[in-house]
Structure formats: C-alpha cells, structure tokens
Amino acid sequence: MKRLLVKNIGRIVGIQPEGRLRICGAEMDRLETLDNAWLLAEGERIAAFGCMESLDGVTPDEVVDAEGGMLFPSFCDSHTHLVYAGSREQEFLDKIHGLSYEEIARRGGGILNSADRLHETSEEKLYRQAMERVREIIAMGTGCVEIKSGYGLSTEDELKMLRVIRRIRETAPLEVRATFLGAHAVARAYRGRQAEYVDLVCREMIPAVAREGLADFVDVFCDEGFFTVEETRRILDVGRRYGLRAKIHADELAASGGVEVGVACGALSVDHLERAGEAQIEALRGSETMPTLLPGAAFFLGMSYPPAREMIRAGLPVALASDYNPGSSPSGNMRMVVALASIRMKMTPAEALHAATLNGACAMELSADFGSITSGKVANFFITKPMPSVEFFSYAYQTPVIRRVFLQGRPIITLPDPMA
Ligand code: NIG
Ligand code: FE
C-alpha cells in the first residue's frame, strides 16, 4: 500500500476521536487542532498523525511539504442539485426586476424550466456539464457530495439523471451519494393533477429507481405551492419500503410541516429551514434528524436566514450545505457557505467548520468514514497556504488560500499561488 507523508503542517484542523458520528450544541464550538504536525496516509486511509518531533521512523513512498500551511478535512456537502442542463440567468434578471422565486415558479419557470432543458439534453452532455461542476467543487475543497435528481419529473428523465449521478460516482475521486427527488415539482404534463403525479412517483418512479439501485435516499420538496405534508408522508413511506431513507426540503418558503413529518418518518435530514422556529426546534430535539442549513440559497434569493444560534443553543447538531442548483444557489463553494454562516447566522468559524464537515457527512450516513481527521478515516483533506489563524479562512473568504487537495490519500490538485 502506498504511504504518503505530509510534513511541516502548521496546524491540523478538525481532529475527532474515533466513533464520533456527529457533533451537537456547545460542543460544535470546540475545534480540536494540532500544531507543527505530520500526517501519514496509507492507501486511501489516514494511518496516523502527530507532532513533527515524533516523526522519526516513518518511511513513506511520497513526501509532501505543507510548508507551514494548515490541513483541513474536506468539506462534506450533503445537499446539491449539481446535475442540471444549462443555466437560468433569465430568472436571475427576473429576480433583479422584482419577481419572487414562487412567482417565477408559477409562471412555469424555475424547476420546470430546468426540466425542459434536461429533457432535451443527452445523458452524455449532462454528464459532461455536471463533471465541470464536480471539478470546480473539488478544487474548492469538497470531498463528499450528495446529488439529487428532480429535474427529470418523468420516470425516464429521473432515471437519466440518476444514471448520470452513478457515472459521476464511478469516475470522480470524491465520494458521492444519490437522492431521488421526483417530488421536486409537479411535471408540466400533470398540471392540475398533482395527486396523479404523486401516484406516478410512488407507483412507478420509486420502484424503477430501486430496481436499478440508483439512489441512497428519497427527498420531497415539502413546501407551500409544492408538496403537502400528506403527500410527503406517503412518498417517504413508499421510499422506506424500498430501502431509501428520507431527506426533506422543508420550511424554505413557509412553515410547511416538513420538519415534523421528517422527524416522524425518521428522516436523515431536514434541509433549508429558513422559516423554522421554536416549534420545529422542539420537534428536532432528541431526534436523529440533522437540521441542514443552506445559507447560499438564503443569500441568493434574499430570504431570511435559518435560526442557527437557537438550534445550537437547544443542543441540536447543525449541518451546512451548498444547495448547488441553477435556481436558488448557483454556487457549490463551501468556503463561501461557512463564511455566510458566520456573517449572517452568527455561527463561529469552528461551529461552521464542524457543520460543513462531520455533520455534513452524518447527513449522508458517511461520518464513520469521512468528515474529520481521524486515524482510519478516508484521507480526504486540503492544505492551505500559511494563515494567521483558523478564523482567517472564513474571515478573508475570498483570498485564495487552498493550495493542494487530496482525496482517498492521493494528490488530486495543486493550485498555483496567484500572488507568487
Ligand atoms: O433547494 N427548493 C427547492 N429546490 C431547490 C431549487 C431548485 C431550482 O430552483 O431549480 C432548492 O432551493
Ligand atoms: Fe435543494
């Protein structure tokens, strides 16, 4: 097995003990670090790490000098829609001119617009467009990503999307999880016949997806103007029978009941939560469901931000994800997401980093193997140039500090220093 040694690391950030699968409440602010350190990867896993003084006796095949930069665990982005065709700048203009997300959706724009484009685009072209976005997020430090379907809205096109996600999983060096989101919007052909569309999702799409083993999770856009609590419950129940655990879009546009139904159905996560309040925090308390916040969407749509501080004060874990999609968050930049979490939701940089790594991994059922610097976990990490503090990473959020990216113990990207 190939042994890769990283030496002269100024600070290792995001160390966790073995067996910790998520991090909650006040604990989120305690970032464990090690200064002046080395890290050894054996094959795809982290074998050991320690202080430079203790380096004697390590015999690697390859040595990388971190030159005093910091080493972070890769981001685990647990909510994206990064497989889509084309882009939607027209709606960007519509928003600038005053239309809301709901108004655009009601006019047949939004998700239905992306569905039309996806229908016309071949699987090969979709794959190529999505891989450009995958390469982009890898360069920005992401090592695990969840990708949803939901721009197909017919059995054939949903399968097409999920096959593209499977191909990304097989060919890209990052870890991928797939979510079936047939209930993202009612397909144009079913306008006015929402119940029939939900039947299609339950009776045809989910069985077809399961037959090909194309998804790990099932998601529903449970919100005003989209799917109701009853429809959500039905879809999640069918999903469960086919082995798909739930993740839900909840409380983005209105207090939708999505959190409550998600917790009742044992959802892995409930995501968005811009409109969530005390009642939803209460519903989440004591559950296994991860509240996942997407500040990039609140930023792009000019919405209010979810109550992160109240959640942490209540002892809940919180995850952060990008929501990378053409309509509400055309960016997969997790560094921007952690910066926004601090700037707009008053999460400390330590809380935001835990939310974007270990807790994000937990929201994909991946935290036993990803999301922190822990011996035995997959060696997914990135190295920065020397920084004055960990906080600098969020504070100077546009300064290009990420220098090298490693996934599965292998060097993937070395970025040039634009200042050199
Ligand atoms: O997470 N809210 C629903 N779905 C996406 C937006 C999808 C789109 O507009 O294309 C979201 O924000
Ligand atoms: Fe989303």
Side-chain angles (χ1 to χ4, degrees), residues 19-76:
R20 179 181 239 174
L21 296 181
R22 60 180 203 165
I23 178 158
C24 304
E27 287 287 311
M28 287 186 70
D29 196 31
R30 283 180 216 128
L31 197 62
E32 194 167 330
T33 60
L34 182 68
D35 285 0
N36 192 25
W38 56 270
L39 180 142
L40 181 72
E42 259 177 18
E44 65 164 26
R45 302 262 163 180
I46 298 170
F49 52 90
C51 293
M52 280 305 284
E53 297 87 65
S54 68
L55 184 54
D56 287 353
V58 177
T59 50
D61 302 300
E62 187 182 343
V63 181
V64 170
D65 192 337
E67 296 171 337
M70 295 195 192
L71 184 148
F72 288 71
S74 297
F75 290 120
C76 298

Side-chain angles (χ1 to χ4, degrees), residues 19 71 88 134 154 220 248 256 327 341 388:
L71 184 148
R88 304 212 313 251
V134 168
S154 69
V220 177
I248 304 181
S256 66

